[in-house]
């Protein structure tokens, strides 16, 4: 049993782990040559076998679900031959993974029956290959986004598990999902066990991020299930920043063998305190699983992924470090005080570009001796020079907090780089503003500056002047498409 106070003992070093980044490169000549050879000699055969097995499993699922509506699937568990057919589908899918190279599936412990553990909590969730434990477990009812039901072929297979769907466009989705989990977990009918990935998103397995409370609201016993991929080359981890799904699929299917381990931990029976506090229950199960996995816990959540997503959408560099910086800024009180936004709003002159730790702390009204302040500075000192571009730091922080488009980025960059705050920039200031907001090179900026000048001898240009030039260039035309235009295009 774990106390909630344990949650507060997470070390500083653990807090700044970034579980949303995965680096994968073929470093050696041998790996590159082997991958190239197997791409030709093995990949086509594996893809053919996998395709055939997916079609076979889909046909069996169609047969098993024939005559049943979605309401039928939610109302009562499958019985008789339909339930037996689901076992056959799982065997076909297991063969699919074997064809894909997952010859070594090691299982530790024993799965508890439904009466002892109505809910299975699997972690860490790191890949779409986590479907393998689902298949091995016999197709328990998964909790999934409603959109997955429309995925070609796989949507029908997911429906066959009688899933608990989360309708994200429904404002009552969270309450309805929790109610359905409680109904399933406490039902006297022969429902399959409910299987949940409580982290809610994929990580790189370096730590266990905050568990969502949904699996723990029913207050019933939960069996924790640990997943490991002990492979020399990690081709399965699919995170917010790293290789895409197709690259991972290609590299995995060109490995001779891939391994997966599933460990069933003892059933965790909640105390009275945990039954009335789902968050405490979730945290304690997470601690229990982290000890078995021998990895730390971290207070990152699914919501932190939104920061990375926004950074990618706005093409803000160094997205992988933004979540770490966000955590540290929260500790330092910078987010609540909106210190960086205040620096932009109350600016009477341009902010410093090159600052050391002492100046960095002074500008943000922090203690330069504070370990968290030092860590925040270090994250932004990417070259290890002992200095950072403070203007770039402030721009990134405010952009992630307030910008919703590239036009917002450009407007912020002009405001930040203008000494007077009037948004008139000389050539050097414009180079910095366009580099920060749109990643335009200095040479291209000089050409834009010459086009934007209203008078031959003018040494400054306005934001409006720059917008006129950018709107005439094809590569930036998307910035000037209004929402109404986008809606019209979608209806054509």
């Amino acid at each position: 049993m774990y106390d909630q106070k344990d949650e507060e003992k997470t070390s500083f070093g653990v807090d700044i782990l970034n579980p949303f980044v995965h680096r994968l490169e073929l470093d050696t000549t041998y790996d590159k040559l082997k991958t190239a050879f197997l791409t030709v000699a093995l990949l086509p055969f594996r893809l053919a076998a996998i395709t055939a097995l997916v079609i076979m499993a889909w046909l069996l699922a169609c047969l098993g679900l024939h005559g049943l509506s979605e309401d039928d699937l939610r109302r009562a568990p499958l019985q008789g031959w339909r339930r037996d057919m689901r076992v056959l589908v799982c065997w076909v899918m297991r063969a699919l993974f074997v064809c894909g190279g997952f010859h070594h599936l090691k299982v530790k412990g024993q799965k508890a029956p439904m009466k002892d553990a109505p809910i299975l909590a699997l972690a860490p969730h790191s890949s779409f290959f986590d479907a393998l434990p689902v298949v091995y477990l016999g197709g328990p009812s998964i909790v999934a986004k409603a959109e997955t039901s429309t995925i070609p072929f796989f949507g029908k297979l997911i429906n066959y598990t009688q899933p608990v769907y989360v309708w994200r466009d429904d404002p009552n989705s969270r309450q309805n999902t929790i109610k359905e989990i409680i109904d399933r977990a406490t039902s006297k009918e022969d429902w399959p066990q409910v299987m949940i990935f409580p982290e809610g998103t994929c990580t790189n397995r370096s730590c266990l991020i905050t568990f969502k409370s949904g699996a723990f609201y029913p207050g019933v016993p939960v069996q924790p299930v640990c997943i490991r991929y002990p492979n020399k080359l990690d081709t399965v981890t699919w995170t917010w920043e790293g290789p895409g799904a197709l690259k991972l699929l290609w590299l995995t299917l060109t490995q001779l063998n891939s391994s997966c381990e599933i460990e069933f931990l003892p059933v965790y029976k909640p105390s009275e305190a945990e039954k009335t506090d789902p968050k405490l229950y979730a945290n304690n199960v997470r601690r229990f699983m982290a000890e078995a996995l021998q990895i730390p816990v971290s207070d990152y959540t699914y919501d932190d992924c939104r920061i990375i997503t926004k950074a990618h959408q706005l093409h803000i560099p160094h997205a992988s470090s933004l979540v770490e910086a966000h955590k540290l800024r929260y500790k330092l009180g910078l987010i609540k005080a909106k210190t960086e936004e205040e620096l932009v709003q109350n600016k009477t002159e341009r902010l410093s570009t090159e600052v050391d730790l002492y100046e960095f702390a002074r500008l943000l009204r922090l203690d330069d001796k504070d370990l968290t302040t030092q860590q925040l500075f270090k994250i932004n000192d990417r070259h290890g020079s002992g200095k950072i571009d403070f203007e770039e730091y402030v721009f990134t922080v405010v952009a992630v907090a307030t910008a919703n488009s590239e036009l917002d980025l450009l407007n912020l960059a002009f405001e930040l780089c203008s000494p007077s705050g009037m948004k008139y920039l000389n050539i050097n200031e414009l180079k910095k503003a366009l580099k920060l907001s749109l990643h335009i090179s200095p040479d291209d900026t000089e050409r834009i500056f010459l086009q934007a000048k209203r008078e031959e001898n003018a040494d400054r240009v306005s934001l409006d002047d720059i917008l006129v030039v950018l709107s005439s260039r094809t590569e930036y035309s998307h910035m000037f498409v209004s929402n109404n235009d986008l809606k019209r295009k979608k209806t054509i």
Side-chain angles (χ1 to χ4, degrees):
M1 192 66 63
Y2 297 92
D3 192 284
Q4 193 169 22
K5 292 179 181 178
D6 290 338
E7 200 67 22
E8 300 171 0
K9 295 179 182 178
T10 304
S11 70
F12 178 80
V14 169
D15 278 348
I16 62 168
L17 282 174
N18 193 330
F20 306 123
V21 180
H22 177 51
R23 306 295 181 208
L24 174 60
E25 297 296 337
L26 299 176
D27 296 324
T28 67
T29 303
Y30 170 76
D31 285 334
K32 292 175 183 177
L33 290 174
K34 184 183 76 171
T35 300
F37 174 74
L38 293 177
T39 297
V40 177
L42 181 61
L43 182 60
F45 299 101
R46 279 186 167 172
L47 287 176
I50 288 170
T51 301
L53 289 167
V54 167
I55 293 173
M56 184 185 299
W58 176 75
L59 289 172
L60 290 171
C62 288
L63 178 62
L65 293 174
H66 181 69
L68 296 178
S69 67
E70 287 190 13
D71 286 340
D72 292 332
L73 291 173
R74 297 181 69 173
R75 190 164 38 242
L78 296 177
Q79 301 292 339
W81 68 271
R82 295 183 190 272
R83 194 175 185 115
D84 295 336
M85 184 76 77
R86 186 165 60 198
V87 177
L88 180 58
V89 171
C90 286
W91 275 106
V92 174
M93 293 301 293
R94 177 72 184 97
L96 182 153
F97 277 97
V98 172
C99 289
F102 282 89
H103 306 141
H104 304 298
L105 177 61
K106 185 176 180 180
V107 180
K108 299 178 180 178
Q110 190 171 2
K111 182 168 83 76
M114 173 71 174
K115 63 182 180 64
D116 294 334
I119 295 176
L120 302 170
L122 278 68
H125 184 25
S126 63
S127 175
F128 46 82
F129 289 108
D130 288 343
L132 176 54
V134 180
V135 171
Y136 175 79
L137 291 169
S141 296
I142 63 173
V143 178
K145 295 182 294 184
E147 294 84 358
T148 58
S149 65
T150 61
I151 299 174
F153 292 103
F154 291 101
K156 185 70 71 173
L157 295 171
I158 293 171
N159 279 339
Y160 208 2
T161 71
Q162 295 189 275
V164 177
Y165 278 132
V166 179
W167 302 86
R168 292 191 172 180
D169 55 349
D170 179 3
N172 298 316
S173 175
R174 185 172 181 272
Q175 289 76 14
N176 292 338
T177 301
I178 291 171
K179 181 179 182 301
E180 188 165 355
I181 292 173
I182 291 174
D183 289 344
R184 296 266 192 107
T186 57
S187 173
K188 296 187 182 299
E189 295 188 81
D190 191 21
W191 282 100
Q193 287 168 297
V194 175
M195 192 199 78
I196 296 179
F197 290 95
E199 291 174 296
T201 190
C202 288
T203 70
N204 58 20
R205 300 190 302 279
S206 62
C207 58
L208 290 183
I209 65 172
T210 300
F211 279 10
K212 290 189 170 185
S213 302
F216 307 96
Y217 270 95
V220 297
V222 168
Q223 183 169 33
V225 183
C226 299
I227 307 172
R228 301 180 181 89
Y229 293 94
N231 299 301
K232 182 179 178 182
L233 183 65
D234 184 1
T235 62
V236 303
T237 299
W238 187 37
T239 57
W240 290 75
E241 185 165 338
L246 287 178
K247 182 177 180 180
L248 292 174
L249 187 61
W250 163 54
L251 290 176
T252 300
L253 294 181
T254 52
Q255 301 299 307
L256 291 174
N257 295 293
S258 296
S259 298
C260 177
E261 291 183 2
I262 303 173
E263 181 180 6
F264 294 98
L265 299 182
V267 173
Y268 191 105
K269 297 179 180 179
S271 64
E272 290 303 315
E274 290 168 333
K275 288 179 181 178
T276 58
D277 187 348
K279 185 175 180 181
L280 173 64
Y281 189 6
N283 286 341
N284 288 344
V285 171
R286 179 173 67 142
R287 284 281 184 181
F288 182 49
M289 296 182 75
E291 279 206 351
L293 290 161
Q294 296 184 333
I295 59 175
V297 297
S298 178
D299 290 333
Y300 285 109
T301 66
Y302 173 78
D303 292 332
D304 293 326
C305 301
R306 296 177 184 176
I307 297 174
I308 297 177
T309 303
K310 187 173 185 180
H312 283 310
Q313 289 172 344
L314 296 176
H315 307 293
I316 296 174
H318 312 299
S320 62
S321 65
L322 293 180
V323 174
E324 302 170 46
H326 184 80
K327 294 289 184 186
L328 297 171
R329 291 179 56 247
Y330 177 81
K331 282 186 176 184
L332 293 165
L334 295 173
I335 294 177
K336 185 176 181 181
K338 296 186 176 181
T339 305
E340 292 88 351
E341 289 95 324
E342 185 182 312
L343 285 172
V344 176
Q345 293 168 1
N346 300 334
K347 181 173 66 69
T348 56
E349 58 183 23
R350 277 194 69 181
L351 298 175
S352 304
T353 52
E354 295 284 308
V355 300
D356 58 15
L357 172 61
Y358 174 80
E359 184 67 7
F360 176 79
R362 186 189 69 80
L363 289 167
L364 295 177
R365 300 189 290 276
L366 301 172
D367 179 6
D368 64 310
K369 301 294 192 298
D370 186 289
L371 183 61
T372 309
T373 302
Q374 294 173 10
Q375 188 64 47
L376 180 61
F377 180 85
K378 184 178 179 181
I379 287 174
N380 290 278
D381 181 14
R382 299 182 183 89
H383 303 294
S385 63
K387 291 189 176 182
I388 69 167
D389 186 332
F390 190 69
E391 208 168 44
E392 180 182 349
Y393 164 79
V394 172
F395 173 83
T396 302
V397 167
V398 179
V400 171
T402 63
N404 294 306
S405 67
E406 289 174 300
L407 283 177
D408 290 341
L409 293 179
L410 187 58
N411 188 68
L412 173 61
F414 259 73
E415 187 175 1
L416 193 62
C417 296
S418 171
S420 61
M422 298 299 291
K423 298 183 182 178
Y424 280 85
L425 306 184
N426 63 29
I427 181 61
N428 290 325
E429 293 161 352
L430 183 64
K431 286 180 180 180
K432 184 63 174 291
L434 294 187
K435 178 186 176 185
L436 287 174
S437 56
L438 302 177
H439 314 296
I440 297 177
S441 68
D443 290 343
D444 204 12
T445 298
E446 289 182 0
R447 289 189 284 271
I448 292 172
F449 183 81
L450 291 174
Q451 287 181 263
K453 285 199 305 181
R454 294 189 179 183
E455 298 177 7
E456 185 67 28
N457 296 324
D459 63 349
R460 290 183 176 273
V461 292
S462 69
L463 175 58
D464 290 338
D465 297 332
I466 295 300
L467 290 176
V468 170
V469 175
L470 293 178
S471 65
S472 66
R473 294 193 170 198
T474 305
E475 62 266 39
Y476 303 111
S477 59
H478 66 279
M479 294 170 50
F480 303 93
V481 179
S482 68
N483 290 332
N484 289 333
D485 291 334
L486 287 172
K487 289 177 183 177
R488 282 198 294 272
K489 286 181 180 179
K490 289 179 181 178
T491 57
I492 293 175

